[in-house]
Amino acid sequence: MKLSTPAAVAGPPTAPGVSLTSAVSGPRPWLRVLGCGIAALITLAPVAATAQTDPATPTLTIGPLEFRPKLTLSNIGVDNNVFNSATDPKRDFTLTASPDLEVSMHPGRLFASYAARTDFNYFRTYKSERSVDRSIVARTEVDLGLLKPFVSLTSGHTSSRASSEIDVRARHHPRLYVGGTRIKLATRTAIVLSAYRAIETYDEGLNFRGVDLATSFDSRTTGYESALSLDLTPFTTFTLTAAREQQRFDHTPIRDSDSFRIAPSLTFSPLGLITGNASVGYRRLNGLDPTLPDYGGLVATGGVGMVIAGRYNVSTTFTRDVRYSYEESLPYYLLNAVRGTLAVQFVGPLDLRVTGGREGLSYRALTDGPKFGDDRQILYGGGAGYRLADRLRVVVEALAIRRTSERDAAREYQNNRIVATLNWGAIN
């Protein structure tokens, strides 16, 4: 489970995202394109609002308690390169079973929710890759009229790959604590003030390419965030967020940094034609050690979906931001990632879909010297989905994954998979 800093509107952490800087060069074209895009999204968001079903609808209600159980069976198929190897790839049958339960209650002015998820990861031959991953999210808020204080906890124990850079499934334990309050200024305007503490720890003795992952990643991050939120329409909220962050590493203080970021964002109601959120802004990262290079520039994150003409469903995720690397001499990289899926309603409950995605990892050296080269990963494929019932859906996809590296051919790999996913409980 991956953790992110709290959302500006005091909701769940935002989805990962990517930059679009390659589309337009220079700040002025960027502003024109961004302005036109925001205007179009605001205009379209309320249209055909009834096209989506409210995902907050509980499956079961008992007194004040609402239950939303889910079950996902994913990665059902043969993994042709279990270890992401450049040579001699290993094949295995895989399956992940993920039961998920969210319980919430809303007595009076109090709202409380608790969600727990477990991932049972099965590999038939390579038993070392099997794992049981657990995560919880707990949140409480109190509506006091003008004030709405809240606290939340997110905690995980997982062996999933921490990023596309790391090819081993290493046990790590992310935690995120958030506290703050929402202050209502007017009918459609509010300020959100919050503080958060994120902790990342790895089990001892886990190595990747000769590097101890606990040494590279064990860290503590403290952040403070303020946000101005404005409801533009019943389905669209604009937020301007400013945040300061301090990240301190337990074993490698040379990586310590302070960050400042400011970012406008749009959040779309799940009941509208457009859903999700999108944020594009500026981040300044200052290394405390003079050998750690600074970064200042565009960052972006989001996940946006759209229903077109009631038949075409487009979903995207994108990210552009700094990520720390496991490598000692290349402490961080600039991640640019984007992924999109187009699903077309074909006949009745059957839809056909195509998927594509790209990630680029641009590394920075400690001495801020010459560029060391990028890693790139490409994903593409297609498949079909079939809705068996209102809350039951199956998807089968053929996917091709390729990673290339300008600095280390041993990091390159390819994998072709046909996988199935079965979702029960989620409305989609």
Side-chain angles (χ1 to χ4, degrees):
M1 184 179 80
K2 299 179 182 178
L3 301 181
S4 63
T5 56
V9 292
T14 56
V18 92
S19 162
L20 307 175
T21 50
S22 59
V24 183
S25 60
R28 292 182 180 177
W30 244 107
L31 291 175
R32 288 198 295 269
V33 172
L34 180 61
C36 293
I38 290 174
L41 292 177
I42 292 173
T43 303
L44 287 172
V47 179
T50 56
Q52 302 293 324
T53 306
D54 188 354
T57 303
T59 304
L60 176 65
T61 301
I62 302 178
L65 298 178
E66 296 180 344
F67 297 86
R68 299 172 183 84
K70 301 177 184 177
L71 174 63
T72 303
L73 302 178
S74 59
N75 295 318
I76 307 172
V78 175
D79 190 331
N80 291 297
N81 196 341
V82 173
F83 303 101
N84 290 351
S85 302
T87 60
D88 191 24
K90 305 299 183 183
R91 303 175 70 237
D92 202 356
F93 174 80
T94 67
L95 168 66
T96 299
S98 305
D100 185 318
L101 176 63
E102 179 185 350
V103 182
S104 63
M105 62 178 182
H106 201 339
R109 295 179 177 269
L110 174 69
F111 173 81
S113 65
Y114 178 86
R117 177 187 174 104
T118 303
D119 296 325
F120 299 92
N121 300 298
Y122 173 77
F123 290 77
R124 183 169 58 191
T125 302
Y126 297 99
K127 298 180 180 180
S128 63
E129 304 304 290
R130 297 178 183 175
S131 67
V132 178
D133 303 339
R134 299 180 177 88
S135 63
I136 63 166
V137 179
R139 179 180 174 86
T140 301
E141 62 183 45
V142 182
D143 189 349
L144 302 178
L146 296 180
L147 295 179
K148 187 179 288 187
F150 60 88
V151 294
S152 68
L153 162 68
T154 305
S155 179
H157 306 276
T158 175
S159 298
S160 63
R161 288 174 172 139
S163 69
S164 60
E165 181 199 36
I166 301 173
D167 297 325
V168 295
R169 297 175 175 88
R171 195 74 175 173
H172 55 287
H173 314 276
R175 284 166 286 165
L176 176 65
Y177 308 89
V178 184
T181 186
R182 181 182 178 92
I183 306 170
K184 186 176 182 180
L185 301 180
T187 304
R188 299 188 300 165
T189 308
I191 291 178
V192 180
L193 304 175
S194 61
Y196 57 90
R197 175 82 161 173
I199 301 173
E200 182 84 45
T201 57
Y202 277 74
D203 286 354
E204 295 182 2
L206 297 177
N207 292 278
F208 178 58
R209 296 184 178 273
V211 177
D212 182 77
L213 295 179
T215 300
S216 295
F217 290 122
D218 283 7
S219 63
R220 282 148 179 77
T221 302
T222 302
Y224 305 92
E225 190 173 275
S226 60
L228 176 64
S229 175
L230 173 63
D231 293 334
L232 301 178
T233 74
F235 304 97
T236 309
T237 300
F238 171 81
T239 305
L240 180 63
T241 304
R244 287 194 174 274
E245 187 175 276
Q246 297 177 340
Q247 187 163 4
R248 302 294 182 261
F249 288 83
D250 297 349
H251 311 293
T252 52
I254 196 174
R255 293 170 169 242
D256 292 352
S257 65
D258 292 340
S259 289
F260 167 79
R261 70 173 72 218
I262 183 167
S265 63
L266 288 173
T267 302
F268 305 102
S269 167
L271 300 180
L273 175 67
I274 301 174
T275 61
N277 59 77
S279 173
V280 179
Y282 173 84
R283 178 180 182 181
R284 177 68 182 177
L285 181 146
N286 296 313
L288 301 189
D289 191 286
T291 62
L292 183 69
D294 296 338
Y295 171 78
L298 188 74
V299 292
T301 183
V304 178
M306 180 185 297
V307 177
I308 303 173
R311 183 180 179 188
Y312 305 93
N313 194 319
V314 180
S315 60
T316 64
T317 59
F318 51 90
T319 302
R320 176 185 170 93
D321 208 342
V322 171
R323 296 286 188 269
Y324 277 93
S325 170
Y326 74 95
E327 300 195 51
E328 298 176 3
S329 59
L330 304 174
Y332 71 80
Y333 55 88
L334 181 62
L335 172 67
N336 286 278
V338 63
R339 180 168 178 171
T341 298
L342 170 63
V344 181
Q345 203 71 30
F346 187 59
V347 177
L350 176 68
D351 67 71
L352 303 180
R353 58 185 56 214
V354 293
T355 297
R358 181 186 185 278
E359 285 192 5
L361 284 62
S362 181
Y363 286 86
R364 302 291 193 269
L366 275 176
T367 57
D368 201 15
K371 189 176 181 181
F372 274 73
D374 298 348
D375 284 0
R376 296 186 180 89
Q377 181 169 292
I378 303 294
L379 176 147
Y380 56 90
Y386 192 86
R387 186 184 297 275
L388 301 171
D390 286 343
R391 295 175 181 265
L392 182 61
R393 183 179 184 82
V394 62
V395 175
V396 179
E397 291 183 292
L399 300 173
I401 305 171
R402 303 286 187 275
R403 184 171 69 196
T404 60
S405 178
E406 296 176 347
R407 58 191 182 85
D408 186 356
R411 289 187 50 76
E412 299 184 350
Y413 81 94
Q414 61 182 25
N415 196 353
N416 299 313
R417 302 195 63 189
I418 298 179
V419 294
T421 301
L422 180 70
N423 286 298
W424 173 83
I427 301 176
N428 49 40

